[in-house]
Amino acid sequence: MNWMDHESYLEIKPPQAFSYEECLVFLNRSDQEILHQIADGVIYKFIKAEKEFMLLKISYTPHSIQVEFPLSSPSESARKAAAAYVWEWFDMGQDLPSFYEAASRCDIMKRLVYKYTGLRMVCMPDLFETLIWAIIGQQINLTFAYTLKKRFVEQFGECLAFEGRKLWLFPSFERIASIDIEDLKKLQFTNRKAEYITGVAKVMSDGKITKGSLQQKNDYQQAKQALMAIRGVGAWTADYVLMKCLHYNCAFPIADVGMHNALKQQMGLERKPTLEEINHIAANWQDWQAYATFYLWRSLYE
């Protein structure tokens, strides 16, 4: 992690292959998003790290990301944690040139890399948030998924008011472990999703699965099986979590509808490609399936 602590603000030096503008495009993809706000190219993000609440004001100047703290002066350890959060959020530890080298062997990916050069995976550093977002999105369209997430966060999360804005923290697993499924059903969650969400919260509250325990496995298949042992977590959900939170480049949510639609467009087909066709194309993305999927998702919101 390449950064400097100026106490009143942080200066983070991203890798050469980095596009702040592309990150903004992704973060701006829904007007229902509640966990960050963007105004004039500045990102406002409310986080909790090292037991401290921090409002981050993130902007970009040539060759560096500036992180200011408009409301408080965090401790040194909290500032370090904030820098690590931003570094991970934008996946700046990833060797993107290696993905571009792999992409050069695929005509579809070659075009997308040319259009979206510098786009990095916009990750979700918190395991519980990633799991719940993936479960919310199961078998519903993205618009309704955002609606449900907004209700969920507003009902159970913590809020910060700043200059006429409301910034929200995603609810903690401890908080959700204490609620009843009826509390979620009132927000239009199905009975099954309500059970899955409270179940995940209880599993994490009991310490049966943590981000650290999954990282220690250091093996894609082992981590995937550990996730799929949780009720409500199937192959697609596990792969989503592995790519967005645990940084497994080989994670491949092959059944993803959005990815299918993107490939249909890129291949000029009148139908969605078959799984056999997808596997044939994806052979060119070996070890970079997660990034290829992310670039395909990006192509959907031109």
Side-chain angles (χ1 to χ4, degrees):
M1 186 168 68
N2 186 1
W3 69 292
M4 289 178 281
D5 185 353
H6 299 281
E7 295 191 7
S8 61
Y9 72 97
L10 310 176
E11 185 177 3
I12 299 173
K13 298 288 188 181
Q16 186 173 2
F18 174 76
S19 171
Y20 183 75
E21 293 76 15
E22 279 295 339
C23 292
L24 289 183
V25 171
F26 180 84
L27 292 171
N28 253 331
R29 69 195 187 283
S30 173
D31 58 9
Q32 290 268 65
E33 179 57 68
I34 194 172
L35 294 175
H36 61 262
Q37 292 192 22
I38 300 173
D40 299 321
V42 175
I43 306 167
Y44 295 87
K45 178 74 172 174
F46 185 29
I47 70 168
K48 183 180 181 182
E50 297 294 299
K51 299 182 180 180
E52 295 183 40
F53 293 93
M54 291 177 280
L55 175 62
L56 310 184
K57 182 181 179 182
I58 304 167
S59 58
Y60 187 74
T61 58
H63 311 302
S64 72
I65 296 171
Q66 307 284 327
V67 182
E68 301 173 68
F69 307 99
L71 287 184
S72 62
S73 298
S75 66
E76 182 179 354
S77 62
R79 294 195 303 272
K80 184 177 180 180
Y85 184 94
V86 173
W87 187 267
E88 182 176 5
W89 194 18
F90 296 126
D91 206 24
M92 288 187 277
Q94 200 60 258
D95 180 17
L96 206 56
S98 291
F99 166 56
Y100 290 163
E101 183 181 345
S104 68
R105 299 190 289 270
C106 171
D107 289 342
I108 293 172
M109 214 44 58
K110 195 187 305 182
R111 291 197 301 270
L112 297 182
V113 163
Y114 178 78
K115 290 181 73 173
Y116 311 128
T117 297
L119 172 64
R120 288 177 175 265
M121 185 88 66
V122 180
C123 297
M124 302 173 82
D126 182 75
L127 176 62
F128 181 63
E129 179 187 340
T130 317
L131 276 163
I132 299 310
W133 174 233
I135 289 170
I136 287 173
Q138 291 172 355
Q139 298 180 325
I140 60 174
N141 64 56
L142 195 60
T143 301
F144 188 51
Y146 271 106
T147 299
L148 286 179
K149 183 176 86 165
K150 187 171 185 291
R151 292 173 185 169
F152 180 73
V153 172
E154 289 178 339
Q155 183 69 29
F156 303 110
E158 296 184 67
C159 182
L160 169 71
F162 174 72
E163 294 184 349
R165 298 182 176 88
K166 284 188 176 181
L167 288 305
W168 290 87
L169 275 182
F170 197 82
S172 67
F173 57 79
E174 295 93 342
R175 172 77 178 93
I176 303 306
S178 69
I179 70 172
D180 190 85
I181 63 169
E182 295 300 323
D183 297 320
L184 291 174
K185 288 168 68 175
K186 290 173 185 174
L187 305 178
Q188 279 192 288
F189 284 87
T190 63
N191 188 80
R192 183 167 293 179
K193 280 192 182 178
E195 289 178 349
Y196 292 166
I197 289 168
T198 54
V200 167
K202 288 170 184 172
V203 165
M204 293 193 66
S205 188
D206 291 341
K208 293 177 180 176
I209 194 163
T210 65
K211 186 174 181 179
S213 70
L214 290 168
Q215 289 171 327
Q216 286 172 7
K217 294 186 182 301
N218 203 31
D219 177 86
Y220 165 68
Q221 288 297 341
Q222 287 183 16
K224 185 172 180 176
Q225 290 305 311
L227 285 166
M228 290 178 65
I230 303 170
R231 184 167 179 255
V233 178
W236 176 88
T237 302
D239 274 312
Y240 184 88
V241 173
L242 288 163
M243 67 184 281
K244 292 281 280 182
C245 183
L246 295 166
H247 311 282
Y248 277 92
N249 291 328
C250 60
F252 189 26
I254 193 168
D256 185 78
V257 173
M259 190 257 292
H260 293 182
N261 286 331
L263 279 173
K264 175 185 172 183
Q265 290 180 11
Q266 295 301 317
M267 297 167 71
L269 301 176
E270 294 183 358
R271 52 161 180 86
K272 291 180 183 177
T274 65
L275 291 182
E276 184 179 358
E277 288 171 324
I278 294 170
N279 274 316
H280 178 73
I281 297 165
N284 296 306
W285 314 335
Q286 191 65 32
D287 298 325
W288 288 100
Q289 294 95 324
Y291 256 83
T293 300
F294 191 66
Y295 270 61
L296 285 163
W297 287 343
R298 169 63 180 89
S299 72
L300 292 172
Y301 44 93
E302 280 296 330

